[in-house]
């Protein structure tokens, strides 16, 4: 990676050191805890599928049962495996019996324990095997078809109806999209369960369900064949079901997952203990499945001022990186996010955005940086918006971004219509073709506006990170240092779902995952 | 260009000159204008769920015809694949509107400034007004309501929190109507401010209507001002929903503050000494 | 992207897949599509010759209503100054078109390649066909007619000049109809090719109609193929004007050559031995 | 001007030397000739205004009369002045009498000659005085109001109706336009007379008439007052009436004139002897009036391939510059034209266009380079077109262009609607604000694509210019070296209007002009 910004390696080193101590705290904190969602993810990876007659997922039922009998503290895996042993049914069958109350969960007696542990291990083995199968299928498809030039053009579909979504995804893929993200229905991240089955109704997005994952994957596989180019699917390992989403994504061969340490806390008011604990587990899963994660720093600048708060984005990226590395994700799978959010009428806005984009690029040379389009300053003026997105595409190709979320001229008003995506992809491809090697050709004036801005943002990030390391992450968040949003360690949703691991806590899935990624 | 004052706004770099009328316009028959009075020129674009064929093109043309366009020209067409086609069309619109007879309900409150509003409330009401705000339902878009309520404010104006004569509570995002109502009662709010940004499937209308019903059920409706806002909210829509006022994109705190102060006074005229 | 073959074209980088129909489309009731079958979403923009006021906004809304839109949303509005306002509007279109019943006249000629066409003329006609072309009236836009006639050709295809079995004359720009006709007569043209690019005040229609009248007056109409083209020309328009065919944007030489060869033969069937 | 392309001054010098010899030929050729249009311009500047009852301009009538009596060869000024002396009427009054045949033109006898020459000189003096008055008025307005940042944003109006045009011009000015050009009706350049009075009908443009010039100037002066910024008017000193247009423009305080040595020849099939002779005179007029001329090289690439023929644009610019300098136009008034016409889907198109734009900028540092938008590759896809224009605006601000003709998204289809201009100006201003100092910040890789392209174009231009100098301009044009169009020296329109000056040819207006600009 050519160094065009003349950054001081020492300052970058300071950032990494501070971020490391923050990450060590998070990982340490998470290691001592588990959550209902982690336990449910565990059960799903031990083979439980489907829901009961009321549509409540069996994984939820089993965890509720375990909780009601105070068994969670040592992990749901063992008592559940014991039940499987006892019933002779498979995981799902057993879960049904547990759900209907016909089987009661309990820890195996000394005589059953070995068998139960053995059963748990085989179930985990089998379930997690599906993750490896998906991973292998992806590797083969990519080897056979490839996926086209970088930055990868990433678009969203969000009709609310998974079947409409597949149509739009195919049209988008043909128009050049390389990644299709299915945006979730507005409230899903606050649900403490994952809906079952295919869905045709949603608000601002389409529910993320295992069945919907399959439907979209099949459609994209067809299209990939037609186009001779592998098209990726993306969704969200975010919200209260973060670990389960990661698990289903890994099993159903999603390729990318939005997954951020702080997003849920800041923008969904999810409790920080919950999110950070879930975070660690879900990243283990993504690492095992070789998925790329996309972090959510881009969102910060929708509430904070992009000029004043750009360093908070960088600071958070260092933290996300440090946490991800500790979960076994290699740099090449850490899609750190940032965005072009400055006021387009600000003099030299483009110059400063290029500085920021290049800064992130040079500091994380191996990460597939995810660059988000202007959203905050988009308006109903679709013609002006189309030009804002063109400037964004130019900045993206000029600074070598890894994943380019294609901006939509209609961003301020509606989730994309079929031709919004078509026109947006056409414009992005045109700009990137026309300026393909512009980045190679230009260099930035020493001490000029670009270099000065990049240096300033970096040094402010270093100060912030060191302050966070001193202050502690929880209290830094409480003080509103990120995105101008303040949250308390005990506030927000989902704290009840977090518990300390008791002595003897055992989770064969977690063990399997760690063995996979041996972080 | 900065010098020309366009920062943050765009549009024209110069303030609008006194609103004149173009020569030759007939206010009873207002038609779209391209480059000649009454040419009726309109630009239209849409996709059709049929592949791009001569027949699809003709279908697009006829659709434009049904919309009342003539001299229809297909400027651009694209095959989107998988059975969809896209068209950009120009035509001349047959329709005209009697502008002279159009009447629109407006927020009836003179706009005042920060000091003025505080003075107004201090002198005429005699106590700070209590305002509670929230972004309700599943909506997590707080930037709008924060712009009106929080210290920081918006577009260079302070938010209501900064006003000595407003006491404010901002419940933030994703607040169930029940919670908002309960907190409003215990706070004895003079005004409830609701923000709705997500509008898919008209979820915002449902949320807002529900709140009005609940407030009425509690018998509180005439004791509290109900105000809503959001990018898709207009004053008209707000009135239809049973609110006292609605504010759309670009609203600034003083506009809202002015309305609250004046409307409160209108409803609670000071008793004689 | 070059690799993806989009150079010079844009649109989608991939060829259109077999034209399928989207699930659930009713061909007797085809409506615009935004993101859900039959949602009818249409985008419209226009200016009004009135300053931007609440009444202007409402006027724009009503105009959209008259165009058959409902759920009308004003996405953007701007005061252009001097009594003009601009609007970008989205709405859902009430209208539908019976696609299944749409019939469109088409150029009836199988498209052949360079060699094929020459062979076709050599074998079936037995002599080179004489083609004369011009950009008539005040029109100086020769690129279009040159694209069809000159050696260089267009979009990778040779122009007719390059064909052994065409004899061509290109009179170039700004040619009065009189001159074109006179030269056509002395050249004993089998086909006259006219290009019209400037279309303000429909000057192209006037020019083209005039030429047809003159050719008929000379009693030559059935002896010569008359073909016109230009960005605003469609086959339908050409037929209405009394031409034998019309070609629009993106036409390539082979398309025109194929038509001339086949249509000439249709009109002059070879006499049996 | 910072040198970012590392061009070889020696090659530039070769170009200027070759262009000089071509220009010397043109000027020499023109010096020996005059045209009916030059004579009419002379009469107009001696005070003739208006037309006869059939609408034929009196200036045309008088020149016809002189021609029919074989008087033109020595210049129309003297016989006409003699007639004025004889009738005692003013210039226009006398012209009426000549037109109606009641007065016959003739050279003055020895006794009247001095008086006639004196009268001719005073008439010229008075007429040309209006040029100086206009020039002074412009200087004052500019000194008082200024005209805003560079590049100047230039838009066209072309409704066909001068009164609609003024409305649109005002709206455009308020939206940021700094120059308003009234496009002429399609065929006007082929008319050998200038229509009279205000006009409300035109095709693809509005007729250029003295009355229309006044109407637009008045509207723009109002607007300039309102906005506190001087707004320029532009029209065309082009076509068969080139010299008269220049004269009327100078008198009615137009600020810019499209005026090119070859455009009429190549694109309007006007005879080359006619255009080149008219050219020399009209530039004298523009020089005296301190107008800025805009040359027409931008048009070449609409017929020739922008990649292969870019050097022909540069070559022509050198020739236009050399001719203009010889007519007394200072570099600051020579608005050399070029355009962004490459296929937007060509890889690195933007990179190459930036090279070309910067090349022109560095070679002609003092010229207000007129940069024309994409037109040839514009399509009915107005959204895509808006983005092409955004790239163009970026290239323009990045390379310091002087006059920016704002591209319209609807370029492929219609002359601009009122909001096309508004949206286009908004987009151009936004891009230029956002990237205001980008040009300062970037430099181009040594030997990279930008520098290599610039060098290649320059050296090919040098070869071409030297070839033209050897070959002779006429035969170069005949060989189709410019714009892929071939014209013969005796072909095209208007040759009949050219004549050799006979011994004793006298033109007091020309003398006055030369005295003004003493080139
Ligand atoms: C910022 C943003 C976010 C941030 C929100 C952060 C936060 N804490 O607010 C984040 C990243 C979290 C986010 C997430 C989502 N978003 Co969002 N987001 C936006 C964005 C880019 C800007 C909104 C904004 O801040 N505007 C600036 C403020 C100042 O303007 P405003 O809200 O209109 O408020 C002004 C006026 O309306 C008025 N006003 C507003 N409220 C009130 C209330 C009162 C009482 C008064 C008097 C006045 C008033 O005054 C304000 C000042 O003038 C818009 C796109 C856009 N450019 O508008 C999308 C957008 C609103 N988001 C959208 C969606 C769908 C989502 C998601 C649901 C997507 C998903 N499924 O993941 C998620 C989930 C969030 C949720 N559950 O609601 C859609 C909504 C589509 C629709 N019409 O329904 C939009 C339009 C983007 C799009 N095209 O898809 N989003
Ligand atoms: C190049 C160009 C010029 C060049 C022309 C050079 C030349 N020798 O041709 C120059 C610079 C001289 C020029 C000048 C003017 N132009 Co011009 N010009 C254009 C431009 C940019 C491109 C046209 C073009 O070359 N297209 C490429 C060719 C290959 O496409 P095509 O013409 O459609 O031809 C294809 C098909 O239509 C078909 N076809 C065309 N003819 C024929 C004939 C037959 C027999 C067949 C079978 C097929 C066929 O096959 C071709 C290949 O597929 C257009 C804008 C645009 N992007 O389209 C404006 C445009 C056409 N010009 C325009 C105008 C107004 C002018 C002027 C009149 C402006 C002025 N007043 O100064 C002048 C005067 C010229 C005149 N008197 O006609 C307007 C016309 C508006 C209208 N709809 O009436 C346009 C649309 C620009 C605009 N938005 O204002 N112009
Ligand atoms: C990391 C992350 N998770 C989730 C979301 C939004 O989805 P939701 O809040 O509905 O889960 C985003 C939005 O950009 C995000 O960046
Ligand atoms: C120098 C010059 N003259 C004239 C024109 C066009 O006008 P017309 O050919 O109608 O005179 C142009 C068009 O760009 C031009 O560049």
């Amino acid at each position: 990676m050519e160094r065009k910004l003349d950054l001081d390696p020492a300052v970058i080193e300071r950032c990494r050191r501070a971020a490391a101590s923050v990450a060590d705290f998070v990982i340490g904190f998470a290691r001592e805890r588990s959550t209902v969602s982690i336990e449910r993810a565990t059960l799903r990876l031990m083979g439980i599928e489907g829901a009961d007659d009321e549509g409540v997922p069996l994984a939820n039922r089993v965890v509720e049962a375990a909780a009601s009998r105070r068994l969670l503290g040592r992990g749901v895996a063992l008592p559940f495996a014991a039940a499987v042993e006892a019933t002779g049914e498979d995981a799902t069958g057993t879960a049904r019996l547990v759900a209907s109350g016909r089987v009661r969960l309990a820890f195996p007696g000394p005589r059953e324990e070995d068998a139960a542990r053995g059963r748990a291990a085989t179930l985990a083995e089998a379930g997690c095997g599906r993750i490896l199968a998906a991973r292998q299928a992806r590797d083969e498809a990519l080897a056979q078809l490839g996926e086209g030039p970088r930055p990868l053009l990433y678009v969203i579909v969000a009709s609310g109806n998974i079947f409409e979504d597949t149509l739009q995804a195919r049209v988008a893929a043909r128009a050049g999209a390389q990644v299709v993200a299915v945006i979730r229905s507005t409230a899903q991240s606050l649900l403490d369960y994952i809906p079952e089955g295919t869905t045709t109704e949603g608000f601002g997005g389409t529910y993320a369900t295992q069945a919907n994952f399959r439907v979209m994957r099949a459609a994209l596989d067809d299209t990939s064949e037609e186009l001779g180019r592998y098209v990726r699917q993306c969704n969200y390992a975010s919200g209260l079901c973060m670990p389960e989403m990661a698990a289903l994504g890994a099993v159903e061969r999603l390729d990318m997952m939005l997954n951020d340490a702080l997003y849920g806390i800041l923008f969904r008011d999810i409790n920080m203990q919950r999110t950070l604990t879930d975070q660690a587990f879900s990243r283990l899963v993504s690492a095992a499945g070789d998925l790329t994660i996309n972090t959510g720093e881009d969102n910060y600048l929708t509430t904070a001022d992009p000029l004043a708060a750009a360093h908070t984005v960088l600071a958070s990226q260092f933290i996300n990186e440090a946490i991800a590395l500790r979960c076994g994700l290699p740099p090449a799978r850490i899609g750190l996010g940032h965005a072009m959010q400055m006021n387009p009428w600000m003099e030299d806005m483009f110059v400063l955005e290029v500085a920021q984009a290049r800064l992130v690029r040079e500091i994380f040379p191996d990460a597939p940086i995810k660059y988000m389009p202007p959203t905050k300053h988009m308006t109903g003026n679709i013609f002006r918006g189309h030009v804002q997105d063109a400037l964004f595409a130019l900045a993206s190709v000029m600074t070598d971004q890894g994943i380019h979320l294609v901006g939509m001229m209609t961003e301020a008003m509606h989730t994309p219509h079929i031709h919004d995506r078509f026109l947006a992809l056409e414009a992005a491809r045109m700009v990137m073709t026309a300026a393909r090697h512009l980045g190679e050709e230009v260099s930035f004036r020493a001490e000029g506006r670009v270099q000065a801005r990049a240096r300033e943002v970096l040094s402010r990030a270093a100060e912030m990170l060191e302050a966070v390391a001193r202050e502690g992450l929880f209290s830094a968040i409480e003080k509103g240092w990120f995105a101008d949003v303040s949250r308390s360690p005990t506030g927000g949703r989902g704290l009840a779902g977090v518990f300390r691991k008791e002595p003897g806590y055992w989770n064969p899935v977690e063990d399997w995952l760690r063995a996979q990624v041996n972080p | 260009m900065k010098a020309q004052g366009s920062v943050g706004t765009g549009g024209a770099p110069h303030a609008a000159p006194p609103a004149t009328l173009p020569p030759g316009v007939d206010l009873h028959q207002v038609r779209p204008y391209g480059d000649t009075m009454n040419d009726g020129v309109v630009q239209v674009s849409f996709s059709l769920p049929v592949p791009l064929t001569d027949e699809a093109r003709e279908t697009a043309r006829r659709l434009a015809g049904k919309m009342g366009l003539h001299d229809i020209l297909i400027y651009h067409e694209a095959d989107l694949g998988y059975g969809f086609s896209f068209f950009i069309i120009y035509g001349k619109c047959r329709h005209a509107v009697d502008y002279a007879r159009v009447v629109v309900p407006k927020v009836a409150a003179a706009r005042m400034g920060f000091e003025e509003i505080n003075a107004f409330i201090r002198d005429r009401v005699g106590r700070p007004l209590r305002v509670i705000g929230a972004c309700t339902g599943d909506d997590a878009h707080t930037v709008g309501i924060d712009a009106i309520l929080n210290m920081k404010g918006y577009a260079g104006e302070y938010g209501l929190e900064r006003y000595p004569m407003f006491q404010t509570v901002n419940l933030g995002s994703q607040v169930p109507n029940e919670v908002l109502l309960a907190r409003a009662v215990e706070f004895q709010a003079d005004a409830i401010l609701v923000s709705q940004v997500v509008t898919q499937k008209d979820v915002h209308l449902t949320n807002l209507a529900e709140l009005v019903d609940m407030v009425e059920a509690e018998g509180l409706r005439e004791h509290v001002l109900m105000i809503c806002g959001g990018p898709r909210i207009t004053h008209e829509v707000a009135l239809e929903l049973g609110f006292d006022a609605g504010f759309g994109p670009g609203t600034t705190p003083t506009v809202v503050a002015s309305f609250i102060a004046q409307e409160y006074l209108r409803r609670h005229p000071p008793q004689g000494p």
Side-chain angles (χ1 to χ4, degrees), chain A residues 156 158 183-187 189 203-206 236 263 266-268 298-299 302-303 341 374-379 410-416 485 487, chain B residues 134-135 138-148 154 173-174 192-201 203 227-233 246-252 256:
Chain A
I156 67 169
I183 299 294
R184 294 194 294 178
S185 181
T186 308
S189 50
F203 304 94
T206 306
Y236 300 83
Y263 173 88
L266 301 173
F267 297 101
R268 290 313 217 152
D298 48 281
N299 300 294
T302 61
T303 47
Q341 290 287 28
T375 58
K376 178 175 173 166
H377 288 289
M378 294 294 279
T379 67
T410 51
E411 167 65 28
M413 309 308 282
H414 57 247
T415 45
V485 178
R487 305 293 187 196
Chain B
C135 185
D138 298 321
D139 204 325
H141 294 90
T142 54
V143 178
I145 186 75
D146 292 349
I148 304 299
Y154 187 69
S173 77
Q174 309 174 135
I192 299 178
L193 272 56
V194 189
S195 181
Q196 286 284 278
V197 175
V198 173
T199 62
Q200 246 96 354
K201 309 254 176 351
V203 60
I227 302 171
C228 59
R232 297 284 181 87
I233 302 292
F247 297 88
T251 307
T252 60
V256 183

Side-chain angles (χ1 to χ4, degrees), chain A residues 77-331:
Chain A
L78 189 55
F80 178 69
V84 175
E85 275 292 289
T87 61
E89 298 272 340
D90 68 1
T92 301
T94 308
R96 277 228 165 61
L97 295 170
V98 174
S100 61
R102 266 173 289 134
V103 166
R104 290 161 111 248
L105 290 179
F107 280 107
R111 267 189 278 86
E112 297 89 28
E113 173 151 356
D114 287 359
R117 285 194 190 272
R119 164 70 59 177
T122 21
L123 288 173
E125 193 63 46
C128 296
R130 291 178 298 162
I131 294 179
L132 297 185
R135 178 177 182 156
Q136 191 180 353
R138 182 190 306 112
D139 290 344
E140 284 163 5
L142 278 169
Q144 190 205 336
L145 300 171
E147 62 177 335
R150 303 245 152 180
L152 295 176
L153 299 180
Y154 173 122
V155 298
I156 67 169
V157 293
S159 74
N161 176 331
I162 188 65
F163 301 104
E164 295 282 353
D165 283 348
T166 57
L167 273 177
Q168 313 210 9
R170 285 164 160 265
V171 168
R174 183 177 155 265
Q178 294 158 290
V179 183
V180 174
V182 182
I183 299 294
R184 294 194 294 178
S185 181
T186 308
Q188 180 163 10
S189 50
L190 303 183
L191 301 179
D192 212 338
Y193 67 91
I194 297 177
E196 272 290 321
T198 58
T199 66
T200 57
E201 268 270 320
F203 304 94
T206 306
Y207 285 99
T209 73
Q210 184 164 20
N212 287 349
F213 286 178
R214 284 185 189 150
V215 170
M216 181 56 74
R217 182 68 271 168
L220 292 179
D221 282 345
D222 280 2
T223 308
S224 301
E225 277 303 327
E226 278 169 17
L227 305 179
R229 171 164 67 70
Y230 184 70
V231 182
R232 293 176 181 260
Q233 182 181 181
C234 177
N235 209 293
Y236 300 83
S238 189
L240 291 171
C241 294
M242 187 186 280
E244 290 168 274
M245 285 294 177
L248 294 183
V251 167
E252 300 302 338
R253 187 161 38 93
L254 268 67
D255 309 282
M256 290 187 184
M257 281 282 180
L258 271 69
N259 177 263
D260 188 84
L262 306 182
Y263 173 88
I265 301 167
L266 301 173
F267 297 101
R268 290 313 217 152
D269 197 10
I270 293 174
N271 174 271
M272 58 182 81
Q273 305 187 41
R274 171 68 175 264
T275 280
L276 291 171
T277 307
D278 285 344
Q279 181 70 199
F281 185 91
S282 58
R283 288 190 178 185
L284 265 180
V285 177
S286 295
D290 195 33
L291 275 74
T292 300
I293 63 164
N294 296 169
T295 62
E297 286 84 359
D298 48 281
N299 300 294
Y300 297 5
L301 303 179
T302 61
T303 47
D305 171 45
L307 198 59
H311 65 288
T312 65
V313 166
L314 184 57
S316 171
Q317 288 168 328
F318 275 110
I319 294 174
N320 261 312
E321 178 194 48
I323 293 175
L325 290 170
R326 284 161 177 70
C327 297
L329 280 162

